[in-house]
Amino acid sequence: MPKSRIRKKADYTPPQAKQTTNIKLTNRGWVAPVMLAMFLIGLAWIVVFYVTDGSLPVDALDNWNIVVGFGFIAAGFGVSTQWK
């Protein structure tokens, strides 16, 4: 019976390096100042409400002033999702 030929294996060649692409982030310089402003406005709204015993910032809203303050803070968290 004839002997089969021995196949020579190819030398190891490492895979080609992937080309890196730079990701261009859009300029979002407005996000941090708006986010901080929303946080501070909400905090100030709640503090003023408590310090003035509910007569300020808007007397007609009564205890809903707390909701308005937390609304500003929630808006700040919403804006913070745009930060890259």
Side-chain angles (χ1 to χ4, degrees), residues 2-31:
K3 193 175 186 183
S4 63
R5 282 193 239 160
I6 299 173
R7 296 181 193 168
K8 184 181 178 191
K9 292 184 179 179
D11 292 335
Y12 173 75
T13 55
Q16 294 180 353
K18 294 182 180 179
Q19 292 179 341
T20 58
T21 57
N22 292 336
I23 299 173
K24 293 183 180 180
L25 298 176
T26 59
N27 186 5
R28 304 231 177 183
W30 59 271
V31 174

Side-chain angles (χ1 to χ4, degrees), residues 49-61:
F49 174 72
Y50 278 116
V51 169
T52 61
D53 290 329
S55 63
L56 287 177
V58 180
D59 191 26
L61 290 178

Side-chain angles (χ1 to χ4, degrees), residues 34-68:
V34 170
M35 176 184 65
L36 291 175
M38 292 290 199
F39 288 153
L40 293 176
I41 290 170
L43 180 65
W45 195 287
I46 294 171
V47 168
V48 167
F49 174 72
Y50 278 116
V51 169
T52 61
D53 290 329
S55 63
L56 287 177
V58 180
D59 191 26
L61 290 178
D62 201 30
N63 285 335
W64 284 96
N65 280 305
I66 297 170
V67 175
V68 172

